[in-house]
Amino acid sequence: MIWDTVHETMPRPELEKLQLERLQAKVRQVYQKVPFYRQALQEKNLGPESIRSLADLARIPFTSKQDFRDNYPFGLLAVPREEVVRIHASSGTTGKPVVVGYTRTDVEIWAEVMARTLAMGGVTHDDVIQNCYGYGLFTGGLGIHYGAERLGATVIPASVGNTKRQLMLMADLNTTVLTCTPSYSLIIAENAAEMGIDLRDTSLRVGFFGAEPWTYAMREEIEQKLGILALDIYGLTEIIGPGVAQECPHKQGMHIFEDHFLAEVIDPQTGEPLPYGEEGELVFTTLTKEALPVLRFRTRDITSLNPDPCPCGRTTVRMQKVRGRTDDMLIIRGVNVFPSQIETVLLQVEGVEPQYLIIVDRQHHLDDLEIWLEVSPEVFSDEMRGLERLEQQVRRELESVLGISARVKLVEPRSIERTEGKAKRVIDRRLM
Ligand code: DLL
């Protein structure tokens, strides 16, 4: 179902006209209200009148996560603090978090784009949504929640954790829609198996999984274990939270809500915009946000854009699955390796569970790659020879895809620590 047919199926020339008008208004606003942007634009000899076409966007300087930190907490606000009705923040591993603010209108727009998001997966007011994204400063919980209410669905604000209780609620309240990180969906599946529940026999039919990278191989695991359609949901705190882009059931990339968020892909080295289809770093400009408009935010997420019409009828540009981040690419013995490549290889091997850990270390001045991998209980109880064969097979396949060798350690079922929020699968000891 298409929630907002006007904006989601707008002919592209019309959409681009709307984007330009909105962009011009936003540049004018930040030039007047946000000293950080005024200075950045002035340094490039740009003013609000410099933006005459969408191509002029490329002249505007980028904004980075560091700029948010430097202006912590409220320096980038374009409205007085009294007009802010909500604060969220993204968890940083070090230092201060990124703090963002929303006006009443921003919260409304967020609910709208989230209603579009859920409707894209076929969710209606008949559905019961179990929302297991964390509630709190993280945007996942409340973002999904407001969209679900806007849609008129029944929302269970379950938040993350207490998995046995989640399963009880799921059964008793006939949950049809699950929203959580892909890694948490697997924890739910694992607990269900332990409790003798076959999720394929429940009312669950669709899930919206995101907030962390996951591969198509992981999708297959989830779809098979939960017996549902698993769709990719993308967003980030600096731009609004979830509700930036969503995959439709055709599974050909995520539709970006372009009337609110203008997307570009740039070469991460040179900063030059790249044509459609080429892979690079995703950059967003918000077109309607009031409290915290953002010009050309560098997401560090690597993807490409596809403007072709989608069989679902939407005309919005689609972003491909995020392949990695400019900052999660590992360079091992000079070779670029993305954790997503490793995941794809691992999950294609029979007898392997979707739980692994990538450990990079330096030994005698040489980079060392070790992968811990959980095997299924059946395989684990197998004789030694079977395990050795499996280990060799994984090693060979990794080497042929990555072009470098890796040590593989098969570990007992359930021995790798589970995280309920965003999964942490890489330990780079070279950085410690
Ligand atoms: O993770 C917002 C969100 C909540 C998205 C719920 C989807 C569902 P942050 O905590 O600011 O916001 O993290 C944003 O997470 O730049 C990506 O690197 C990553 N990310 C988010 N969605 C996906 C996805 C929320 N579907 C950062 N696939 C982004 C891959 C994703 N990575």
Side-chain angles (χ1 to χ4, degrees):
M1 195 194 77
I2 300 183
W3 178 254
D4 180 344
T5 36
V6 173
H7 293 103
E8 294 181 77
T9 64
M10 206 177 241
R12 291 205 64 81
E14 216 176 298
L15 178 62
E16 284 166 14
K17 191 163 157 274
L18 177 68
Q19 288 182 315
L20 178 60
E21 284 165 17
R22 290 182 167 179
L23 176 66
Q24 288 168 328
K26 272 303 129 186
V27 173
R28 207 171 309 122
Q29 184 198 9
V30 298
Y31 192 85
Q32 285 164 2
K33 307 280 186 191
V34 189
F36 166 80
Y37 284 116
R38 184 165 49 244
Q39 194 186 337
L41 290 165
Q42 278 173 347
E43 274 170 18
K44 297 265 176 190
N45 285 323
L46 295 172
E49 69 297 335
S50 317
I51 308 302
R52 293 198 198 88
S53 71
L54 285 180
D56 287 328
L57 182 66
R59 301 165 64 197
I60 296 177
F62 296 113
T63 307
S64 67
K65 218 180 185 71
Q66 190 57 42
D67 294 324
F68 274 80
R69 296 223 166 91
D70 293 346
N71 290 282
Y72 177 87
F74 293 136
L76 294 181
L77 283 189
V79 299
R81 213 270 312 129
E82 305 85 85
E83 285 181 33
V84 170
V85 300
R86 179 97 69 78
I87 297 287
H88 279 284
S90 77
S91 49
T93 39
T94 50
K96 300 277 192 197
V98 164
V99 168
V100 293
Y102 303 73
T103 63
R104 197 172 296 284
T105 309
D106 291 336
V107 170
E108 286 281 313
I109 290 175
W110 195 12
E112 270 298 310
V113 287
M114 274 311 308
R116 288 186 197 176
T117 297
L118 295 166
M120 211 181 291
V123 180
T124 70
H125 53 82
D126 287 334
D127 280 295
V128 177
I129 305 180
Q130 190 154 337
N131 184 18
C132 313
Y133 283 109
Y135 279 66
L137 284 174
F138 177 53
T139 54
L142 287 176
I144 306 264
H145 186 102
Y146 274 61
E149 286 190 353
R150 173 64 57 103
L151 201 66
T154 307
V155 51
I156 310 172
S159 201
V160 72
N162 203 339
T163 309
K164 299 240 159 25
R165 191 186 61 174
Q166 301 274 8
L167 282 158
M168 180 191 77
L169 290 171
M170 205 175 272
D172 295 350
L173 307 182
N174 288 322
T175 301
T176 54
V177 182
L178 176 64
T179 52
C180 63
T181 56
S183 48
Y184 190 58
S185 78
L186 289 169
I187 297 182
I188 294 180
E190 224 165 44
N191 277 262
E194 272 173 22
M195 291 162 73
I197 302 170
D198 189 339
L199 288 172
R200 290 170 300 188
D201 298 337
T202 65
S203 318
L204 266 194
R205 67 182 170 77
V206 60
F208 295 78
F209 304 112
E212 65 183 14
W214 58 309
T215 59
Y216 290 122
M218 183 74 83
R219 183 203 318 260
E220 274 173 38
E221 289 271 347
I222 295 172
E223 291 196 328
Q224 193 253 325
K225 291 199 157 116
L226 281 78
I228 59 172
L229 170 69
L231 298 176
D232 203 355
I233 171 172
Y234 174 89
L236 58 166
T237 312
E238 291 84 349
I239 298 305
I240 200 161
V244 175
Q246 174 61 38
E247 188 178 42
C248 73
H250 292 278
K251 296 181 173 168
Q252 293 174 14
M254 290 174 272
H255 291 274
I256 296 175
F257 301 121
E258 279 182 287
D259 50 327
H260 296 290
F261 313 111
L262 182 52
E264 305 167 82
V265 164
I266 60 159
D267 177 328
Q269 250 83 50
T270 65
E272 288 302 314
L274 293 174
Y276 286 136
E278 274 187 41
E279 193 170 77
E281 180 178 345
L282 185 61
V283 170
F284 278 112
T285 299
T286 65
L287 296 175
T288 52
K289 279 264 291 300
E290 286 186 343
L292 196 70
V294 186
L295 299 183
R296 302 194 86 200
F297 180 71
R298 292 187 64 152
T299 64
R300 301 200 171 183
D301 293 322
I302 299 168
T303 185
S304 62
L305 297 175
N306 174 7
D308 296 341
C310 178
C312 74
R314 288 179 184 82
T315 50
T316 41
V317 109
R318 279 164 289 155
M319 56 182 274
Q320 293 310 304
K321 196 171 218 2
V322 174
R323 194 165 68 87
R325 289 177 54 86
T326 53
D327 51 3
D328 85 354
M329 186 181 80
L330 296 159
I331 305 184
I332 302 172
R333 280 168 252 147
V335 176
N336 297 350
V337 174
F338 283 100
S340 62
Q341 291 175 295
I342 297 179
E343 179 175 301
T344 304
V345 172
L346 298 182
L347 297 194
Q348 274 158 4
V349 177
E350 192 86 28
V352 160
E353 292 288 306
Q355 299 291 348
Y356 62 92
L357 209 52
I358 299 168
I359 302 167
V360 192
D361 209 344
R362 187 160 284 147
Q363 290 186 346
H364 312 296
H365 308 292
L366 261 187
D367 292 334
D368 178 71
L369 172 62
E370 179 166 282
I371 289 160
W372 291 16
L373 182 56
E374 272 185 28
V375 292
S376 63
E378 303 83 65
V379 170
F380 198 74
S381 58
D382 210 2
E383 51 178 312
M384 260 327 256
R385 279 231 312 281
L387 283 175
E388 273 169 21
R389 251 201 316 273
L390 184 63
E391 206 172 273
Q392 274 170 15
Q393 185 196 347
V394 177
R395 201 178 318 130
R396 260 200 317 273
E397 287 179 20
L398 278 172
E399 191 165 343
S400 83
V401 169
L402 306 180
I404 53 166
S405 60
R407 282 181 297 121
V408 175
K409 189 166 145 188
L410 300 181
V411 297
E412 264 182 71
R414 308 221 56 170
S415 59
I416 291 176
E417 198 194 339
R418 310 291 195 254
T419 40
E420 291 173 343
K422 302 195 185 216
K424 179 142 183 45
R425 303 191 201 275
V426 180
I427 300 176
D428 194 341
R429 295 213 174 105
R430 299 173 302 181
L431 308 171
M432 292 174 180

